[in-house]
Amino acid sequence: MTGDSKVDKPGNSARRTAGRDPDGAVGSCTPLLFTLFREIETAPSIDALRGLGVRMLDLVRIASRPGTDLKTLVPKISRLNDAITLRLIALLESTEGIRLPEGATFLALGSEGRGDQVLRTDQDSAIVFVDDLPEDKLPDIERFATRFVDALEEIGVPRCPGNIMASNLQWRHSLSEWKRLLDQWIAAPTPENTLNFGMFQGLRALHGEKAMEKQLHGHILAAVRHSSLFLTYMALHALRFPPPLSMFGRIRVERRGEHAGKVDLKKAGIFAITVGTSVLALEAGFIGGSTWEKLELLGRLGVLAPDDLETIEKAFTFLVQFRLQWQLRELAANDKLTNHVDPLDMTDDERRQFRQALKGVTPFLRTMNNRYQLNLIST
């Protein structure tokens, strides 16, 4: 299976359904979202963008109540996040004379790159530039990257704790150097390399030459095709956090550290499904798109059985929405955004649904284990 298949690529379904709003909460907010989008595009200053970001959070609170069709909401919010990024880049050029030189491209990574992001909990980014970029342009790239990361923080987007940002020299390379690094990560799938690959392969060009994204995607697909063992190690990476549920249905919590007595919602199943679907899609010859789009693709290809697909998608959607609701509560209380929740703070109904969602991750784990024979690999 290759990217030239007649099966729709991830991303196509979102464009086909962009005009449909099956959920009332999202539909009722659509005019407000459109108005906010236009205000973002014409924001006169970085301070104004900060204020619009706060308004966007208010809209997310309204539109993301329990029962919302998250698959309809997330692409809309993702487009607003993109608009804020692009407006910030334009403001840096018009007000401070800071710009990314021609021949360089700014890449969104992680959840922002996939288009899965609702709340911008941190920054994940990189820069790629043409091989023949004049050396005297490199300081301009560094100046842009450093100022842009600072400006994002000014409008309320925290820095990446792991420093996976364009301001870090390790995440700014020429096209050939990025290809060399990708080959290195794939040839030696150490924990660090699989982590770096997992973050980078979700890349999306936000500013600059779109062709650079296409070239990197093509290189990743070709390199992975020639290293089936790498996919096995990526599958291991995807499943390194099993759902925190005991055989008797008790929610397992962290026993020590600052989050003792709490459960990490991201590790509870979101991580496994997000990374795992990317692995399965790569094997099928596809890259890019949101996790929901990849799940839909894998269902059409028969990689996931219809019943399993429905169970996995419901589990993923609930976990993402549950995490969003808790983070909105943290913001309302002026607390630091985390992924951690004390099960004792959940209502009885929330605990029941959370347990059901954790059980729903099981078919996905089974598919990954069987497909890559992970039980035969010692770690």
Side-chain angles (χ1 to χ4, degrees):
M1 182 67 63
T2 68
D4 296 326
S5 168
K6 292 183 180 180
V7 178
D8 286 343
K9 295 182 180 181
N12 290 350
S13 59
R15 287 187 286 273
R16 288 198 308 269
T17 61
R20 284 186 274 155
D21 241 349
D23 185 86
V26 178
S28 64
C29 288
T30 296
L32 295 175
L33 289 168
F34 181 78
T35 299
L36 184 57
F37 183 84
R38 293 304 180 201
E39 290 186 49
I40 290 170
E41 285 190 318
T42 57
S45 66
I46 292 177
D47 280 343
L49 271 184
R50 184 190 302 113
L52 291 169
V54 172
R55 281 180 51 196
M56 189 171 81
L57 280 176
D58 291 337
L59 277 176
V60 170
R61 287 190 183 95
I62 296 170
S64 63
R65 65 176 184 241
T68 295
D69 180 2
L70 211 60
K71 289 193 294 182
T72 299
L73 173 64
V74 169
K76 294 176 183 292
I77 301 301
S78 181
R79 286 194 289 272
L80 287 177
N81 284 329
D82 286 353
I84 288 176
T85 296
L86 293 174
R87 185 56 186 161
L88 182 58
I89 290 172
L91 284 169
L92 290 178
E93 180 173 358
S94 64
T95 63
E96 301 180 24
I98 293 175
R99 63 183 296 273
L100 195 61
E102 186 175 349
T105 299
F106 177 82
L107 303 173
L109 307 180
S111 59
E112 187 176 7
R114 293 189 305 271
D116 284 348
Q117 190 178 67
V118 181
L119 297 183
R120 301 183 81 172
T121 54
D122 65 1
Q123 304 181 39
D124 296 307
S125 61
I127 286 176
V128 57
F129 50 89
V130 293
D131 293 335
D132 59 353
L133 186 79
E135 191 170 343
D136 62 1
K137 296 295 182 183
L138 293 178
D140 292 338
I141 292 178
E142 181 179 10
R143 188 158 42 249
F144 168 86
T146 301
R147 179 65 186 107
F148 178 73
V149 166
D150 287 344
L152 270 180
E153 190 173 31
E154 289 173 25
I155 65 172
V157 186
R159 293 170 179 266
C160 170
N163 204 21
I164 302 175
M165 299 179 293
S167 56
N168 181 351
L169 183 60
Q170 295 180 17
W171 293 90
R172 298 195 308 268
H173 298 291
S174 68
L175 181 61
S176 291
E177 181 63 11
W178 272 122
K179 289 179 177 179
R180 186 193 68 78
L181 276 172
L182 284 163
D183 290 342
Q184 178 181 310
W185 292 342
I186 291 169
T190 64
E192 181 181 1
N193 286 347
T194 53
L195 179 65
N196 287 337
F197 178 88
M199 181 62 69
F200 190 76
Q201 65 92 25
L203 68 96
R204 182 165 57 95
L206 268 186
H207 176 63
E209 294 294 328
K210 188 75 173 177
M212 302 286 262
E213 173 190 311
K214 186 175 181 180
Q215 288 199 52
L216 287 168
H217 278 172
H219 185 82
I220 289 170
L221 288 172
V224 167
R225 266 198 305 270
H226 291 93
S227 181
S228 57
L229 184 61
F230 176 72
L231 289 176
T232 299
Y233 279 94
M234 280 301 297
L236 279 173
H237 171 64
L239 304 192
R240 63 195 178 109
F241 302 121
L245 199 65
S246 74
M247 62 182 296
F248 300 109
R250 293 179 61 86
I251 299 171
R252 289 198 180 102
V253 296
E254 296 185 20
R255 295 187 176 183
R256 56 182 66 87
E258 64 174 311
H259 301 298
K262 296 183 179 182
V263 61
D264 188 323
L265 296 180
K266 185 175 182 180
K267 293 179 181 179
I270 295 173
F271 180 87
I273 294 176
T274 296
V275 179
T277 52
S278 293
V279 173
L280 292 168
L282 283 173
E283 183 188 356
F286 293 92
I287 190 170
S290 72
T291 301
W292 284 287
E293 290 164 350
K294 287 172 187 161
L295 284 170
E296 181 184 337
L297 168 74
L298 295 171
R300 291 200 304 270
L301 293 175
V303 176
L304 296 174
D307 289 346
D308 285 350
L309 174 63
E310 182 179 2
T311 299
I312 295 163
E313 186 177 271
K314 283 182 178 178
F316 178 72
T317 300
F318 173 82
L319 291 169
V320 171
Q321 182 136 29
F322 194 46
R323 178 190 181 208
L324 172 61
Q325 291 298 324
W326 277 96
Q327 289 181 332
L328 287 172
R329 293 180 202 182
E330 289 174 328
L331 284 173
N334 293 317
D335 291 335
K336 179 182 177 182
L337 279 181
T338 71
N339 291 306
H340 293 84
V341 177
D342 186 338
L344 296 178
D345 291 335
M346 301 179 189
T347 66
D348 290 343
D349 192 49
E350 285 173 339
R351 275 194 298 273
R352 178 188 61 77
Q353 293 183 76
F354 184 57
R355 288 191 186 98
Q356 190 63 31
L358 295 181
K359 292 177 183 177
V361 180
T362 301
F364 188 78
L365 302 182
R366 183 174 62 245
T367 295
M368 296 292 288
N369 273 299
N370 292 341
R371 193 173 191 90
Y372 298 105
Q373 300 184 305
L374 301 184
N375 59 314
L376 302 180
I377 300 176
S378 59
T379 57

